[in-house]
Amino acid sequence: MKNIILVVLYNEIITKTHSFISLEKAFENSAHSAEGYEVLFWDNSSASINEAHVDEAIRKLTGLGLTAKYINTPENLALSKLYNRVIELYQNEKDYLFVLDQDSEFDSGYFSTFESITNQQTPDVILPVVKFKEQIVSPTKILYLKGFYYDSAPKGFISSSTVSAINSGMIIALSYIVKHGYRYNEQLRNYCTDDDIMQFVRKTKGSVFVMDYSFEHDLSLCTLNANSDSLRTRYNEMVRSRKILHSRNIFESAIVNVYFFAHRAYMAMKYKDIKYFKG
């Protein structure tokens, strides 16, 4: 089995990211073979940030038996377009796509658990349990626009009818992508690409397997608890993206607009800032 591990970077030194350090540790003296994996670092930063560090990163990983590559798009390519390019590059030569970002932190158990699953079955989507401050933030249950956390982590195959998940750690069968001709909605920029694919999984009744493995992950929007221009910018981008995903007809658009008008009012009251009505 051949798999591609995608790590998306932005304004961080490659060798200092949680994902690079985790990959290095996971494949050092591990029981699983590195030959089944290729790592692709896709860097959305200015080329100057990592030009002095790429060779070291590639050398360290290839020394562990991994194939490693690096692509730089300093124009900060939208995640939806980035993911689609990776699909087009690897859909006919790899089995599974691992989606990671620079803040993903894991150990060798992530890969050994994946291998134990795929030695017996081939789910369309495999999800780790992701926690943020002890709260299970992925997978989640979703009812239209509203998501709900699990009290305890599910395991094994679960119904895809109400499941959602975040990108970090998600593992997608490329045969599933090819079968349905799926591509990420390129109207989306850097938010809700995970909602996009999980909406597709629910629609096509894809098979979803939750790993008996968990890791911690820092959620950028959730950690911006203080009111700021950055929080408002990210919030507005999230709202814009959710409206794209849930505006397939006039009726749906009306529901979404009412929902987010109410949500903007909640944010304005929470932060005592009328600027949340703008965007």
PDB file of all heavy atoms in Angstrom, residues 4-39:
ATOM      1  N   ILE A   4       0.031   8.990   0.648  1.00  0.00           N
ATOM      2  CA  ILE A   4       0.632  10.321   0.604  1.00  0.00           C
ATOM      3  C   ILE A   4       0.219  11.095   1.856  1.00  0.00           C
ATOM      4  O   ILE A   4      -0.966  11.170   2.199  1.00  0.00           O
ATOM      5  CB  ILE A   4       0.223  11.084  -0.686  1.00  0.00           C
ATOM      6  CG1 ILE A   4       0.835  12.476  -0.722  1.00  0.00           C
ATOM      7  CG2 ILE A   4      -1.294  11.135  -0.871  1.00  0.00           C
ATOM      8  CD1 ILE A   4       2.333  12.493  -0.891  1.00  0.00           C
ATOM      9  N   ILE A   5       1.211  11.621   2.547  1.00  0.00           N
ATOM     10  CA  ILE A   5       0.985  12.427   3.749  1.00  0.00           C
ATOM     11  C   ILE A   5       1.184  13.896   3.360  1.00  0.00           C
ATOM     12  O   ILE A   5       2.298  14.318   3.060  1.00  0.00           O
ATOM     13  CB  ILE A   5       1.965  12.050   4.868  1.00  0.00           C
ATOM     14  CG1 ILE A   5       1.848  10.560   5.223  1.00  0.00           C
ATOM     15  CG2 ILE A   5       1.727  12.922   6.107  1.00  0.00           C
ATOM     16  CD1 ILE A   5       2.957  10.065   6.141  1.00  0.00           C
ATOM     17  N   LEU A   6       0.100  14.660   3.372  1.00  0.00           N
ATOM     18  CA  LEU A   6       0.169  16.078   3.041  1.00  0.00           C
ATOM     19  C   LEU A   6       0.265  16.896   4.319  1.00  0.00           C
ATOM     20  O   LEU A   6      -0.554  16.762   5.223  1.00  0.00           O
ATOM     21  CB  LEU A   6      -1.084  16.497   2.262  1.00  0.00           C
ATOM     22  CG  LEU A   6      -1.264  18.002   2.039  1.00  0.00           C
ATOM     23  CD1 LEU A   6      -0.175  18.560   1.118  1.00  0.00           C
ATOM     24  CD2 LEU A   6      -2.654  18.302   1.479  1.00  0.00           C
ATOM     25  N   VAL A   7       1.280  17.768   4.378  1.00  0.00           N
ATOM     26  CA  VAL A   7       1.428  18.697   5.496  1.00  0.00           C
ATOM     27  C   VAL A   7       1.413  20.112   4.926  1.00  0.00           C
ATOM     28  O   VAL A   7       2.282  20.467   4.127  1.00  0.00           O
ATOM     29  CB  VAL A   7       2.743  18.464   6.274  1.00  0.00           C
ATOM     30  CG1 VAL A   7       2.827  19.437   7.451  1.00  0.00           C
ATOM     31  CG2 VAL A   7       2.849  17.029   6.759  1.00  0.00           C
ATOM     32  N   VAL A   8       0.430  20.902   5.323  1.00  0.00           N
ATOM     33  CA  VAL A   8       0.319  22.278   4.832  1.00  0.00           C
ATOM     34  C   VAL A   8       1.000  23.216   5.833  1.00  0.00           C
ATOM     35  O   VAL A   8       0.711  23.187   7.036  1.00  0.00           O
ATOM     36  CB  VAL A   8      -1.152  22.685   4.642  1.00  0.00           C
ATOM     37  CG1 VAL A   8      -1.239  24.134   4.147  1.00  0.00           C
ATOM     38  CG2 VAL A   8      -1.841  21.752   3.651  1.00  0.00           C
ATOM     39  N   LEU A   9       1.903  24.039   5.317  1.00  0.00           N
ATOM     40  CA  LEU A   9       2.673  24.975   6.144  1.00  0.00           C
ATOM     41  C   LEU A   9       2.261  26.413   5.850  1.00  0.00           C
ATOM     42  O   LEU A   9       1.906  26.748   4.712  1.00  0.00           O
ATOM     43  CB  LEU A   9       4.168  24.833   5.865  1.00  0.00           C
ATOM     44  CG  LEU A   9       4.791  23.441   5.990  1.00  0.00           C
ATOM     45  CD1 LEU A   9       6.233  23.478   5.484  1.00  0.00           C
ATOM     46  CD2 LEU A   9       4.737  22.948   7.420  1.00  0.00           C
ATOM     47  N   TYR A  10       2.380  27.262   6.866  1.00  0.00           N
ATOM     48  CA  TYR A  10       2.159  28.689   6.647  1.00  0.00           C
ATOM     49  C   TYR A  10       2.937  29.495   7.684  1.00  0.00           C
ATOM     50  O   TYR A  10       2.664  29.423   8.885  1.00  0.00           O
ATOM     51  CB  TYR A  10       0.676  29.049   6.720  1.00  0.00           C
ATOM     52  CG  TYR A  10       0.407  30.514   6.425  1.00  0.00           C
ATOM     53  CD1 TYR A  10       0.629  31.032   5.140  1.00  0.00           C
ATOM     54  CD2 TYR A  10      -0.022  31.384   7.425  1.00  0.00           C
ATOM     55  CE1 TYR A  10       0.411  32.369   4.865  1.00  0.00           C
ATOM     56  CE2 TYR A  10      -0.241  32.725   7.152  1.00  0.00           C
ATOM     57  CZ  TYR A  10      -0.021  33.214   5.872  1.00  0.00           C
ATOM     58  OH  TYR A  10      -0.224  34.543   5.589  1.00  0.00           O
ATOM     59  N   ASN A  11       3.940  30.206   7.199  1.00  0.00           N
ATOM     60  CA  ASN A  11       4.731  31.131   8.025  1.00  0.00           C
ATOM     61  C   ASN A  11       5.376  30.462   9.251  1.00  0.00           C
ATOM     62  O   ASN A  11       5.476  31.073  10.322  1.00  0.00           O
ATOM     63  CB  ASN A  11       3.881  32.320   8.477  1.00  0.00           C
ATOM     64  CG  ASN A  11       3.637  33.302   7.339  1.00  0.00           C
ATOM     65  OD1 ASN A  11       4.253  33.219   6.282  1.00  0.00           O
ATOM     66  ND2 ASN A  11       2.702  34.223   7.542  1.00  0.00           N
ATOM     67  N   GLU A  12       5.809  29.214   9.068  1.00  0.00           N
ATOM     68  CA  GLU A  12       6.529  28.513  10.122  1.00  0.00           C
ATOM     69  C   GLU A  12       7.731  27.797   9.518  1.00  0.00           C
ATOM     70  O   GLU A  12       7.679  27.320   8.377  1.00  0.00           O
ATOM     71  CB  GLU A  12       5.632  27.477  10.804  1.00  0.00           C
ATOM     72  CG  GLU A  12       4.496  28.073  11.639  1.00  0.00           C
ATOM     73  CD  GLU A  12       4.971  28.717  12.924  1.00  0.00           C
ATOM     74  OE1 GLU A  12       6.110  28.435  13.346  1.00  0.00           O
ATOM     75  OE2 GLU A  12       4.194  29.495  13.511  1.00  0.00           O
ATOM     76  N   ILE A  13       8.808  27.718  10.282  1.00  0.00           N
ATOM     77  CA  ILE A  13       9.985  26.972   9.838  1.00  0.00           C
ATOM     78  C   ILE A  13       9.660  25.485   9.856  1.00  0.00           C
ATOM     79  O   ILE A  13       9.216  24.951  10.870  1.00  0.00           O
ATOM     80  CB  ILE A  13      11.196  27.286  10.732  1.00  0.00           C
ATOM     81  CG1 ILE A  13      11.597  28.751  10.560  1.00  0.00           C
ATOM     82  CG2 ILE A  13      12.368  26.370  10.403  1.00  0.00           C
ATOM     83  CD1 ILE A  13      12.683  29.216  11.503  1.00  0.00           C
ATOM     84  N   ILE A  14       9.855  24.836   8.748  1.00  0.00           N
ATOM     85  CA  ILE A  14       9.411  23.462   8.544  1.00  0.00           C
ATOM     86  C   ILE A  14       9.900  22.508   9.627  1.00  0.00           C
ATOM     87  O   ILE A  14       9.137  21.688  10.139  1.00  0.00           O
ATOM     88  CB  ILE A  14       9.835  22.983   7.125  1.00  0.00           C
ATOM     89  CG1 ILE A  14       9.288  21.586   6.826  1.00  0.00           C
ATOM     90  CG2 ILE A  14      11.331  23.026   6.940  1.00  0.00           C
ATOM     91  CD1 ILE A  14       9.515  21.160   5.370  1.00  0.00           C
ATOM     92  N   THR A  15      11.166  22.603  10.016  1.00  0.00           N
ATOM     93  CA  THR A  15      11.742  21.652  10.974  1.00  0.00           C
ATOM     94  C   THR A  15      11.306  21.919  12.413  1.00  0.00           C
ATOM     95  O   THR A  15      11.588  21.110  13.301  1.00  0.00           O
ATOM     96  CB  THR A  15      13.270  21.675  10.900  1.00  0.00           C
ATOM     97  OG1 THR A  15      13.723  23.036  11.010  1.00  0.00           O
ATOM     98  CG2 THR A  15      13.757  21.089   9.576  1.00  0.00           C
ATOM     99  N   LYS A  16      10.622  23.051  12.642  1.00  0.00           N
ATOM    100  CA  LYS A  16      10.165  23.377  13.988  1.00  0.00           C
ATOM    101  C   LYS A  16       8.671  23.152  14.176  1.00  0.00           C
ATOM    102  O   LYS A  16       8.138  23.366  15.272  1.00  0.00           O
ATOM    103  CB  LYS A  16      10.526  24.827  14.327  1.00  0.00           C
ATOM    104  CG  LYS A  16      12.023  25.066  14.442  1.00  0.00           C
ATOM    105  CD  LYS A  16      12.338  26.491  14.868  1.00  0.00           C
ATOM    106  CE  LYS A  16      13.855  26.695  15.008  1.00  0.00           C
ATOM    107  NZ  LYS A  16      14.173  28.090  15.435  1.00  0.00           N
ATOM    108  N   THR A  17       7.989  22.736  13.123  1.00  0.00           N
ATOM    109  CA  THR A  17       6.548  22.509  13.240  1.00  0.00           C
ATOM    110  C   THR A  17       6.264  21.218  13.988  1.00  0.00           C
ATOM    111  O   THR A  17       7.062  20.272  13.968  1.00  0.00           O
ATOM    112  CB  THR A  17       5.887  22.442  11.851  1.00  0.00           C
ATOM    113  OG1 THR A  17       6.431  21.334  11.126  1.00  0.00           O
ATOM    114  CG2 THR A  17       6.104  23.729  11.075  1.00  0.00           C
ATOM    115  N   HIS A  18       5.107  21.171  14.649  1.00  0.00           N
ATOM    116  CA  HIS A  18       4.702  19.960  15.366  1.00  0.00           C
ATOM    117  C   HIS A  18       4.629  18.768  14.407  1.00  0.00           C
ATOM    118  O   HIS A  18       5.011  17.646  14.772  1.00  0.00           O
ATOM    119  CB  HIS A  18       3.333  20.165  16.024  1.00  0.00           C
ATOM    120  CG  HIS A  18       3.349  21.097  17.184  1.00  0.00           C
ATOM    121  ND1 HIS A  18       4.206  20.966  18.253  1.00  0.00           N
ATOM    122  CD2 HIS A  18       2.592  22.197  17.455  1.00  0.00           C
ATOM    123  CE1 HIS A  18       3.989  21.915  19.132  1.00  0.00           C
ATOM    124  NE2 HIS A  18       3.012  22.689  18.672  1.00  0.00           N
ATOM    125  N   SER A  19       4.143  19.012  13.198  1.00  0.00           N
ATOM    126  CA  SER A  19       3.954  17.901  12.262  1.00  0.00           C
ATOM    127  C   SER A  19       5.281  17.292  11.826  1.00  0.00           C
ATOM    128  O   SER A  19       5.413  16.062  11.746  1.00  0.00           O
ATOM    129  CB  SER A  19       3.158  18.360  11.039  1.00  0.00           C
ATOM    130  OG  SER A  19       1.827  18.623  11.403  1.00  0.00           O
ATOM    131  N   PHE A  20       6.266  18.130  11.528  1.00  0.00           N
ATOM    132  CA  PHE A  20       7.567  17.586  11.135  1.00  0.00           C
ATOM    133  C   PHE A  20       8.189  16.793  12.279  1.00  0.00           C
ATOM    134  O   PHE A  20       8.677  15.676  12.087  1.00  0.00           O
ATOM    135  CB  PHE A  20       8.531  18.693  10.699  1.00  0.00           C
ATOM    136  CG  PHE A  20       9.906  18.170  10.385  1.00  0.00           C
ATOM    137  CD1 PHE A  20      10.180  17.650   9.140  1.00  0.00           C
ATOM    138  CD2 PHE A  20      10.912  18.168  11.350  1.00  0.00           C
ATOM    139  CE1 PHE A  20      11.442  17.118   8.844  1.00  0.00           C
ATOM    140  CE2 PHE A  20      12.167  17.640  11.071  1.00  0.00           C
ATOM    141  CZ  PHE A  20      12.426  17.119   9.810  1.00  0.00           C
ATOM    142  N   ILE A  21       8.184  17.378  13.466  1.00  0.00           N
ATOM    143  CA  ILE A  21       8.768  16.706  14.630  1.00  0.00           C
ATOM    144  C   ILE A  21       8.045  15.393  14.900  1.00  0.00           C
ATOM    145  O   ILE A  21       8.665  14.365  15.214  1.00  0.00           O
ATOM    146  CB  ILE A  21       8.724  17.633  15.860  1.00  0.00           C
ATOM    147  CG1 ILE A  21       9.636  18.852  15.624  1.00  0.00           C
ATOM    148  CG2 ILE A  21       9.136  16.889  17.128  1.00  0.00           C
ATOM    149  CD1 ILE A  21       9.449  19.977  16.632  1.00  0.00           C
ATOM    150  N   SER A  22       6.715  15.404  14.757  1.00  0.00           N
ATOM    151  CA  SER A  22       5.928  14.185  14.978  1.00  0.00           C
ATOM    152  C   SER A  22       6.255  13.117  13.949  1.00  0.00           C
ATOM    153  O   SER A  22       6.392  11.932  14.281  1.00  0.00           O
ATOM    154  CB  SER A  22       4.432  14.512  14.936  1.00  0.00           C
ATOM    155  OG  SER A  22       4.054  15.343  16.010  1.00  0.00           O
ATOM    156  N   LEU A  23       6.384  13.510  12.680  1.00  0.00           N
ATOM    157  CA  LEU A  23       6.730  12.548  11.630  1.00  0.00           C
ATOM    158  C   LEU A  23       8.098  11.933  11.893  1.00  0.00           C
ATOM    159  O   LEU A  23       8.291  10.710  11.752  1.00  0.00           O
ATOM    160  CB  LEU A  23       6.722  13.234  10.271  1.00  0.00           C
ATOM    161  CG  LEU A  23       5.362  13.495   9.630  1.00  0.00           C
ATOM    162  CD1 LEU A  23       5.504  14.418   8.434  1.00  0.00           C
ATOM    163  CD2 LEU A  23       4.689  12.185   9.221  1.00  0.00           C
ATOM    164  N   GLU A  24       9.042  12.766  12.266  1.00  0.00           N
ATOM    165  CA  GLU A  24      10.398  12.288  12.519  1.00  0.00           C
ATOM    166  C   GLU A  24      10.405  11.262  13.656  1.00  0.00           C
ATOM    167  O   GLU A  24      10.995  10.179  13.536  1.00  0.00           O
ATOM    168  CB  GLU A  24      11.301  13.469  12.854  1.00  0.00           C
ATOM    169  CG  GLU A  24      12.781  13.141  12.852  1.00  0.00           C
ATOM    170  CD  GLU A  24      13.641  14.370  13.080  1.00  0.00           C
ATOM    171  OE1 GLU A  24      13.131  15.387  13.604  1.00  0.00           O
ATOM    172  OE2 GLU A  24      14.833  14.304  12.750  1.00  0.00           O
ATOM    173  N   LYS A  25       9.710  11.581  14.733  1.00  0.00           N
ATOM    174  CA  LYS A  25       9.671  10.666  15.877  1.00  0.00           C
ATOM    175  C   LYS A  25       8.884   9.401  15.545  1.00  0.00           C
ATOM    176  O   LYS A  25       9.236   8.304  15.992  1.00  0.00           O
ATOM    177  CB  LYS A  25       9.042  11.371  17.080  1.00  0.00           C
ATOM    178  CG  LYS A  25       9.937  12.449  17.687  1.00  0.00           C
ATOM    179  CD  LYS A  25       9.264  13.103  18.890  1.00  0.00           C
ATOM    180  CE  LYS A  25      10.161  14.156  19.522  1.00  0.00           C
ATOM    181  NZ  LYS A  25       9.491  14.823  20.676  1.00  0.00           N
ATOM    182  N   ALA A  26       7.813   9.544  14.766  1.00  0.00           N
ATOM    183  CA  ALA A  26       6.947   8.402  14.467  1.00  0.00           C
ATOM    184  C   ALA A  26       7.655   7.333  13.656  1.00  0.00           C
ATOM    185  O   ALA A  26       7.358   6.138  13.800  1.00  0.00           O
ATOM    186  CB  ALA A  26       5.700   8.881  13.723  1.00  0.00           C
ATOM    187  N   PHE A  27       8.601   7.754  12.805  1.00  0.00           N
ATOM    188  CA  PHE A  27       9.262   6.785  11.935  1.00  0.00           C
ATOM    189  C   PHE A  27      10.663   6.396  12.410  1.00  0.00           C
ATOM    190  O   PHE A  27      11.340   5.621  11.763  1.00  0.00           O
ATOM    191  CB  PHE A  27       9.294   7.299  10.496  1.00  0.00           C
ATOM    192  CG  PHE A  27       7.950   7.198   9.824  1.00  0.00           C
ATOM    193  CD1 PHE A  27       7.080   8.278   9.812  1.00  0.00           C
ATOM    194  CD2 PHE A  27       7.540   6.016   9.235  1.00  0.00           C
ATOM    195  CE1 PHE A  27       5.827   8.187   9.210  1.00  0.00           C
ATOM    196  CE2 PHE A  27       6.293   5.904   8.621  1.00  0.00           C
ATOM    197  CZ  PHE A  27       5.434   6.991   8.615  1.00  0.00           C
ATOM    198  N   GLU A  28      11.086   6.938  13.540  1.00  0.00           N
ATOM    199  CA  GLU A  28      12.354   6.515  14.137  1.00  0.00           C
ATOM    200  C   GLU A  28      12.148   5.196  14.879  1.00  0.00           C
ATOM    201  O   GLU A  28      11.332   5.106  15.797  1.00  0.00           O
ATOM    202  CB  GLU A  28      12.862   7.578  15.119  1.00  0.00           C
ATOM    203  CG  GLU A  28      13.504   8.777  14.461  1.00  0.00           C
ATOM    204  CD  GLU A  28      13.946   9.801  15.492  1.00  0.00           C
ATOM    205  OE1 GLU A  28      13.447   9.755  16.638  1.00  0.00           O
ATOM    206  OE2 GLU A  28      14.781  10.650  15.156  1.00  0.00           O
ATOM    207  N   ASN A  29      12.866   4.176  14.479  1.00  0.00           N
ATOM    208  CA  ASN A  29      12.805   2.870  15.159  1.00  0.00           C
ATOM    209  C   ASN A  29      11.376   2.345  15.287  1.00  0.00           C
ATOM    210  O   ASN A  29      11.017   1.708  16.282  1.00  0.00           O
ATOM    211  CB  ASN A  29      13.434   2.970  16.558  1.00  0.00           C
ATOM    212  CG  ASN A  29      14.857   3.490  16.506  1.00  0.00           C
ATOM    213  OD1 ASN A  29      15.652   3.078  15.677  1.00  0.00           O
ATOM    214  ND2 ASN A  29      15.169   4.420  17.404  1.00  0.00           N
ATOM    215  N   SER A  30      10.538   2.648  14.287  1.00  0.00           N
ATOM    216  CA  SER A  30       9.144   2.210  14.356  1.00  0.00           C
ATOM    217  C   SER A  30       8.991   0.814  13.766  1.00  0.00           C
ATOM    218  O   SER A  30       9.805   0.364  12.970  1.00  0.00           O
ATOM    219  CB  SER A  30       8.236   3.190  13.600  1.00  0.00           C
ATOM    220  OG  SER A  30       8.543   3.173  12.222  1.00  0.00           O
ATOM    221  N   ALA A  31       7.903   0.158  14.154  1.00  0.00           N
ATOM    222  CA  ALA A  31       7.646  -1.201  13.680  1.00  0.00           C
ATOM    223  C   ALA A  31       7.072  -1.205  12.277  1.00  0.00           C
ATOM    224  O   ALA A  31       7.106  -2.217  11.591  1.00  0.00           O
ATOM    225  CB  ALA A  31       6.688  -1.906  14.633  1.00  0.00           C
ATOM    226  N   HIS A  32       6.540  -0.059  11.814  1.00  0.00           N
ATOM    227  CA  HIS A  32       5.946  -0.008  10.486  1.00  0.00           C
ATOM    228  C   HIS A  32       6.947   0.559   9.480  1.00  0.00           C
ATOM    229  O   HIS A  32       7.816   1.351   9.825  1.00  0.00           O
ATOM    230  CB  HIS A  32       4.647   0.809  10.476  1.00  0.00           C
ATOM    231  CG  HIS A  32       4.737   2.103  11.220  1.00  0.00           C
ATOM    232  ND1 HIS A  32       4.426   2.213  12.558  1.00  0.00           N
ATOM    233  CD2 HIS A  32       5.119   3.333  10.820  1.00  0.00           C
ATOM    234  CE1 HIS A  32       4.606   3.448  12.951  1.00  0.00           C
ATOM    235  NE2 HIS A  32       5.027   4.155  11.925  1.00  0.00           N
ATOM    236  N   SER A  33       6.810   0.135   8.253  1.00  0.00           N
ATOM    237  CA  SER A  33       7.769   0.508   7.213  1.00  0.00           C
ATOM    238  C   SER A  33       7.478   1.887   6.643  1.00  0.00           C
ATOM    239  O   SER A  33       6.336   2.220   6.331  1.00  0.00           O
ATOM    240  CB  SER A  33       7.731  -0.526   6.077  1.00  0.00           C
ATOM    241  OG  SER A  33       8.531  -0.093   4.997  1.00  0.00           O
ATOM    242  N   ALA A  34       8.522   2.682   6.489  1.00  0.00           N
ATOM    243  CA  ALA A  34       8.381   4.005   5.890  1.00  0.00           C
ATOM    244  C   ALA A  34       8.189   3.917   4.377  1.00  0.00           C
ATOM    245  O   ALA A  34       7.786   4.894   3.746  1.00  0.00           O
ATOM    246  CB  ALA A  34       9.614   4.850   6.201  1.00  0.00           C
ATOM    247  N   GLU A  35       8.455   2.757   3.810  1.00  0.00           N
ATOM    248  CA  GLU A  35       8.382   2.615   2.353  1.00  0.00           C
ATOM    249  C   GLU A  35       6.973   2.815   1.809  1.00  0.00           C
ATOM    250  O   GLU A  35       6.788   3.144   0.649  1.00  0.00           O
ATOM    251  CB  GLU A  35       8.900   1.235   1.933  1.00  0.00           C
ATOM    252  CG  GLU A  35      10.396   1.049   2.194  1.00  0.00           C
ATOM    253  CD  GLU A  35      10.879  -0.327   1.780  1.00  0.00           C
ATOM    254  OE1 GLU A  35      10.031  -1.129   1.299  1.00  0.00           O
ATOM    255  OE2 GLU A  35      12.078  -0.610   1.946  1.00  0.00           O
ATOM    256  N   GLY A  36       5.979   2.637   2.647  1.00  0.00           N
ATOM    257  CA  GLY A  36       4.600   2.793   2.191  1.00  0.00           C
ATOM    258  C   GLY A  36       4.102   4.217   2.218  1.00  0.00           C
ATOM    259  O   GLY A  36       2.927   4.467   1.919  1.00  0.00           O
ATOM    260  N   TYR A  37       4.982   5.170   2.554  1.00  0.00           N
ATOM    261  CA  TYR A  37       4.539   6.556   2.733  1.00  0.00           C
ATOM    262  C   TYR A  37       5.425   7.539   1.976  1.00  0.00           C
ATOM    263  O   TYR A  37       6.641   7.389   1.909  1.00  0.00           O
ATOM    264  CB  TYR A  37       4.556   6.929   4.220  1.00  0.00           C
ATOM    265  CG  TYR A  37       3.665   6.067   5.075  1.00  0.00           C
ATOM    266  CD1 TYR A  37       4.169   4.912   5.681  1.00  0.00           C
ATOM    267  CD2 TYR A  37       2.333   6.389   5.289  1.00  0.00           C
ATOM    268  CE1 TYR A  37       3.365   4.104   6.459  1.00  0.00           C
ATOM    269  CE2 TYR A  37       1.516   5.592   6.078  1.00  0.00           C
ATOM    270  CZ  TYR A  37       2.032   4.445   6.663  1.00  0.00           C
ATOM    271  OH  TYR A  37       1.236   3.648   7.438  1.00  0.00           O
ATOM    272  N   GLU A  38       4.764   8.548   1.423  1.00  0.00           N
ATOM    273  CA  GLU A  38       5.461   9.700   0.857  1.00  0.00           C
ATOM    274  C   GLU A  38       4.931  10.945   1.556  1.00  0.00           C
ATOM    275  O   GLU A  38       3.717  11.074   1.773  1.00  0.00           O
ATOM    276  CB  GLU A  38       5.203   9.802  -0.644  1.00  0.00           C
ATOM    277  CG  GLU A  38       5.842  11.033  -1.292  1.00  0.00           C
ATOM    278  CD  GLU A  38       5.631  11.094  -2.801  1.00  0.00           C
ATOM    279  OE1 GLU A  38       5.562  10.020  -3.432  1.00  0.00           O
ATOM    280  OE2 GLU A  38       5.533  12.210  -3.346  1.00  0.00           O
ATOM    281  N   VAL A  39       5.822  11.849   1.933  1.00  0.00           N
ATOM    282  CA  VAL A  39       5.436  13.085   2.606  1.00  0.00           C
ATOM    283  C   VAL A  39       5.559  14.250   1.624  1.00  0.00           C
ATOM    284  O   VAL A  39       6.594  14.404   0.971  1.00  0.00           O
ATOM    285  CB  VAL A  39       6.314  13.361   3.842  1.00  0.00           C
ATOM    286  CG1 VAL A  39       5.866  14.642   4.545  1.00  0.00           C
ATOM    287  CG2 VAL A  39       6.274  12.180   4.809  1.00  0.00           C
TER     288      VAL A  39
END
